[in-house]
Amino acid sequence: MLVPALLLLFLCLRGRAGGLPHFLQQPDDLVVLLGDEARLSCALGAYRGLVQWTKDGLALGGERDLPGWSRYWISGNAASGQHDLHIKPVELEDQASYECQATQAGLRSRPAQLHVLVPPEAPQVLGGPSVSLVAGVPANLTCRSHGDAHPTPELLWFRDGVRLDGTTFHQTLLKEGTTGSVESILFLTPSSRDDGATLVCRARSQALPAGKDTAITLSLQYPPVVTLSAEPQTVQEGEKVTFLCQATAQPPVTGYRWAKGGSPVLGARGPMLEVVADASFLTAPVSCEVSNAVGSANRSTALDVQFGPILQAKPEPLSVDAGEDASFSCAWRGNPLPRVTWTRRGGTQVLGFGPTLRLPSVGPEDAGDYVCRAEPGLSGRGGGAAEARLTVNAPPIVTALQSAPASLRGPARLQCLVFASPAPEAVVWSWDEGFLAAGSRGRFLVETFPAPEGRGGQGPGLISVLHISGTQESDFSRGFNCSARNRLGEGGTRVSLGRRDLLPTVQIVAGVAAAALTLLMVITGVALCCWRHGKASFSKQKNLVRIPGSSDGSSSRGAEEETGSGGDRGPIVHTDHSDLVLDEEGTLESKDPTNGYYKVRGVSVSLSLGEAPGGGLFLPPPSPLGPPGTPTFYDFNPHLGVVPPCRLYRARAGYLTTPHPRAFTSYIKPTSFGPPDLAPGTPPFPYAAFPTPGHPRLQTHV
């Protein structure tokens, strides 16, 4: 019973609800473009009363044509409950909230929002349509949209269809609910590549999804864009290189300036520079600076200059203790990189390569000069060697020097040679009863002298000398020690004194004295014999030599020049011996040629000639040499025992050959000489083959 009752109640309520007024269709929110038609739908069921629309709560009226609202009307079949609101053309003021109301039934539809879209106008770019910018200088481009666009448009920037970033957006409100101008600013730093580029500013909104565009063209002013090249880029030192500087600029280029390593190249003004390459171009690049009204720009390039090795840093001398490591360094510069080798001075073995030589745990044998060498480059230039000395500090090296033997009770000298690095503190001589480093002590005296430079790296050398005065027998049997000490240790050697016997020396001196005495006696005897032979007397008158048979009658004759009488005697030849005088015994002697200044006694001379029978001068038979009519030559060789010269010269004025070199005679100078008479087979200079009689030579010294 309960279930049928409930079913009956449900059916009653359903029938009652179907008869009440209700909305069949309610208006929805609507978006419409400005100037288009807007339609808001409204349908009622089970209602036959008044239907009206409200705009933001304001009733528009119940008539279908809505008087007072010329652009508004209601359409549809009222009997069927259709009441649609139309607005045409839609204006911006039509944007509001609309409701459909059944006033008699007390029904209200949900609010419907009408949105009126206003398309934006074409934007404006300040400075367009051609905007002048400076390349490299930050700039702002402003795009502005005016009008009552709704909704507010979005301003976008494009280049070649690609949207650009880096913009800001700015909106200005005129009054509440409306907008004024809208602008967008594009920040950019243009480059020379932007010259002539086209940029687009687009205003876009819901009312105009495609948007409206405004295009501008960039006109760039930019400093020079420089390209620098060198021909050739790789050169040998000493070759010529040409640099070419090319530039594009707006406005045009106004000047060029060249520099090398930052220093201006004087006289270079145009776009081309010619130089002769050297090693400095490898590290000092060449730059070209180009200028115009906007600014300047420069480019630089370095040449690949190939050159031989150049020494930049020499190795430094080293002094290390024995057992320590030693390291030398030297720096060579070259292109290509030079090959550096290390050797020892005087040797050929390569000890290392590269700029550094390391010698581990050196000893005294490593001391010396080390050479850092670089070979010349491909061009044959450069290269060379530099050396440094390694001094190895070690205990002194003492060597005994050879000393001369000494005689008993005579002076003696012992020597030792000391090489040490560092220099020795002292060199000490010691013996049985004492020692001495410097100065004197009794019979002993020590002196020290610098020694000649020894083998490289041995350190400074010293020669220490021990003088002994009045040697004793014990000095020859004992040893003397020469020692030296430095901070690294001590070194020494034993030096012995050699003995020299006196007997051989006495024998030598006696032999020399005996030989000298014998020689003196021989000289005295020879001189005495010569003096006796020279005591022959000359006539106290003028010395006359008669030459019988002489055909020359040109000799002057006077009463005082003739002796004897008789026409059979030949002509008299005058010989002047004014420099000869007779001593008290009648001996003919020469005068002192220095007039007593040097107290030199002249040498006695004499000339002995035989007498012919009858009292005349004995002359040998005339020589058959020479043609008739020539002066007669007399051969005295058989009488004097002197070998005659083999060259016989004939003079036109006759003369008498001096028979002995001790004879002082004068002669008449011949006026001319005839050809020599040579025997067959005679050598060109035969006088060299004959012995010359020896005689004492008179000699004076000033």
Side-chain angles (χ1 to χ4, degrees):
M1 291 260 327
L2 181 60
V3 173
L6 292 175
L7 180 61
L8 179 62
L9 178 62
F10 174 74
L11 292 175
C12 290
L13 292 174
R14 181 181 178 187
R16 187 176 179 181
L20 296 175
H22 60 276
F23 283 101
L24 298 177
Q25 184 179 8
Q26 297 187 42
D28 295 322
D29 293 342
L30 180 64
V31 177
V32 64
L33 289 177
L34 182 68
D36 290 348
E37 180 180 354
R39 182 177 179 175
L40 298 174
S41 300
C42 179
L44 293 168
Y47 182 71
R48 298 290 183 268
L50 178 65
V51 177
Q52 67 174 1
W53 287 85
T54 62
K55 176 184 179 182
D56 291 334
L58 177 64
L60 299 179
E63 293 80 0
R64 304 292 285 185
D65 56 355
L66 298 178
W69 302 87
S70 59
R71 296 179 293 105
Y72 289 63
W73 74 90
I74 298 174
S75 67
N77 189 353
S80 61
Q82 193 70 35
H83 306 278
D84 296 340
L85 176 62
H86 293 262
I87 304 173
K88 184 181 180 181
V90 174
E91 295 181 0
L92 187 60
E93 63 184 18
D94 297 331
Q95 181 171 281
S97 176
Y98 292 88
E99 289 182 0
C100 178
Q101 297 178 355
T103 57
Q104 294 175 351
L107 295 177
R108 299 175 60 182
S109 69
R110 62 175 177 267
Q113 190 69 35
L114 176 62
H115 298 279
V116 179
L117 301 181
V118 180
E121 297 179 359
Q124 178 186 4
V125 178
L126 300 183
S130 179
V131 179
S132 180
L133 301 176
V134 177
V137 177
N140 301 330
L141 296 179
T142 301
C143 179
R144 211 172 264 178
S145 177
H146 296 281
D148 297 326
H150 185 78
T152 302
E154 181 183 15
L155 300 179
L156 305 175
W157 289 93
F158 294 88
R159 177 176 178 176
D160 299 330
V162 179
R163 182 175 174 178
L164 300 178
D165 295 326
T167 61
T168 61
F169 182 77
H170 178 72
Q171 180 177 352
T172 302
L173 296 177
L174 298 179
K175 61 181 179 178
E176 186 178 357
T178 63
T179 60
S181 63
V182 178
E183 64 182 27
S184 176
I185 300 176
L186 173 66
F187 296 94
L188 77 163
T189 301
S191 66
S192 58
R193 297 187 300 271
D194 298 327
D195 187 34
T198 299
L199 301 183
V200 173
C201 179
R202 177 175 296 170
R204 185 180 68 177
S205 70
Q206 185 180 359
L208 190 61
K212 288 187 177 180
D213 296 342
T214 298
I216 61 169
T217 301
L218 298 182
S219 176
L220 265 295
Q221 290 186 346
Y222 52 91
V225 178
V226 181
T227 302
L228 180 60
S229 61
E231 183 62 33
Q233 188 72 34
T234 301
V235 295
Q236 294 288 338
E237 186 177 17
E239 292 182 353
K240 183 179 292 186
V241 181
T242 301
F243 292 90
L244 182 61
C245 186
Q246 297 175 312
T248 57
Q250 181 64 34
V253 173
T254 57
Y256 295 85
R257 188 170 65 176
W258 292 88
K260 176 192 172 186
S263 300
V265 179
L266 301 180
R269 292 289 183 269
M272 184 178 296
L273 175 65
E274 289 187 353
V275 298
V276 176
D278 57 32
S280 63
F281 283 90
L282 190 64
T283 55
V286 173
S287 62
C288 172
E289 183 180 76
V290 186
S291 304
N292 68 352
V294 176
S296 62
N298 69 77
R299 288 291 181 272
S300 61
T301 183
L303 292 178
D304 183 16
V305 182
Q306 296 184 350
F307 57 94
I310 299 174
L311 181 62
Q312 288 187 307
K314 295 181 179 180
E316 298 293 334
L318 292 178
S319 177
V320 299
D321 292 347
E324 295 182 353
D325 296 344
S327 178
F328 289 102
S329 296
C330 73
W332 292 87
R333 175 171 168 259
N335 186 29
L337 195 65
R339 181 174 180 266
V340 179
T341 59
W342 290 88
T343 58
R344 194 165 179 175
R345 185 177 181 183
T348 58
Q349 181 182 1
V350 177
L351 304 177
F353 298 92
T356 303
L357 174 66
R358 290 182 174 85
L359 301 174
S361 186
V362 297
E365 66 279 1
D366 296 315
D369 296 323
Y370 289 82
V371 181
C372 170
R373 189 183 310 277
E375 300 300 328
L378 298 177
S379 62
R381 301 181 180 180
E387 63 181 44
R389 172 162 295 181
L390 173 62
T391 301
V392 178
N393 299 325
I397 300 175
V398 183
T399 306
L401 298 179
Q402 184 176 4
S403 301
S407 59
L408 184 62
R409 289 183 294 277
R413 186 174 68 175
L414 300 177
Q415 302 178 96
C416 67
L417 177 62
V418 180
F419 283 109
S421 177
E425 301 167 0
V427 179
V428 179
W429 287 90
S430 60
W431 54 96
D432 295 342
E433 63 269 17
F435 65 91
L436 185 61
S440 61
R441 178 182 179 184
R443 297 182 298 115
F444 302 96
L445 171 67
V446 172
E447 292 182 308
T448 304
F449 307 96
E453 184 176 359
R455 185 170 63 87
Q458 282 188 324
L462 296 174
I463 294 179
S464 183
V465 182
L466 175 64
H467 296 274
I468 306 174
S469 62
T471 58
Q472 299 176 0
E473 192 68 38
S474 60
D475 295 335
F476 299 101
S477 58
R478 63 185 171 189
F480 293 85
N481 292 322
C482 177
S483 59
R485 173 185 292 275
N486 61 10
R487 64 178 178 83
L488 297 175
E490 183 177 358
T493 187
R494 183 181 179 88
V495 185
S496 299
L497 178 61
R499 182 165 185 169
R500 181 180 60 199
D501 293 333
L502 184 60
L503 181 59
T505 304
V506 174
Q507 292 177 347
I508 293 174
V509 172
V512 171
L517 182 60
T518 303
L519 180 61
L520 180 61
M521 293 175 63
V522 171
I523 293 175
T524 303
V526 172
L528 189 60
C529 291
C530 291
W531 178 76
R532 286 180 173 276
H533 180 70
K535 289 187 63 178
S537 298
F538 280 93
S539 174
K540 293 184 180 181
Q541 299 178 356
K542 295 288 185 176
N543 298 297
L544 302 178
V545 179
R546 185 180 304 275
I547 304 177
S550 174
S551 61
D552 191 352
S554 62
S555 300
S556 62
R557 301 177 186 177
E560 70 278 7
E561 298 178 17
E562 299 179 357
T563 59
S565 62
D568 58 344
R569 296 191 181 185
I572 302 301
V573 179
H574 174 246
T575 61
D576 188 3
H577 293 283
S578 60
D579 59 340
L580 302 178
V581 295
L582 292 174
D583 57 10
E584 294 178 355
E585 298 178 359
T587 304
L588 186 63
E589 295 183 356
S590 63
K591 296 180 179 179
D592 182 359
T594 63
N595 295 325
Y597 187 83
Y598 292 102
K599 300 183 183 303
V600 179
R601 179 178 177 83
V603 179
S604 300
V605 298
S606 64
L607 179 62
S608 299
L609 298 176
E611 291 185 357
L617 180 66
F618 173 79
L619 293 175
S623 174
L625 297 177
T630 60
T632 305
F633 174 78
Y634 296 92
D635 188 4
F636 286 89
N637 183 54
H639 303 275
L640 300 178
V642 178
V643 180
C646 61
R647 290 190 179 184
L648 306 178
Y649 294 89
R650 298 187 302 275
R652 299 191 183 277
Y655 66 91
L656 181 63
T657 303
T658 302
H660 195 274
R662 292 183 180 273
F664 290 86
T665 59
S666 62
Y667 62 92
I668 300 175
K669 183 179 181 181
T671 57
S672 63
F673 295 92
D677 296 324
L678 299 176
T682 303
F685 302 100
Y687 54 81
F690 293 100
T692 303
H695 61 86
R697 173 175 293 180
L698 179 63
Q699 196 170 28
T700 61
H701 299 277
V702 179

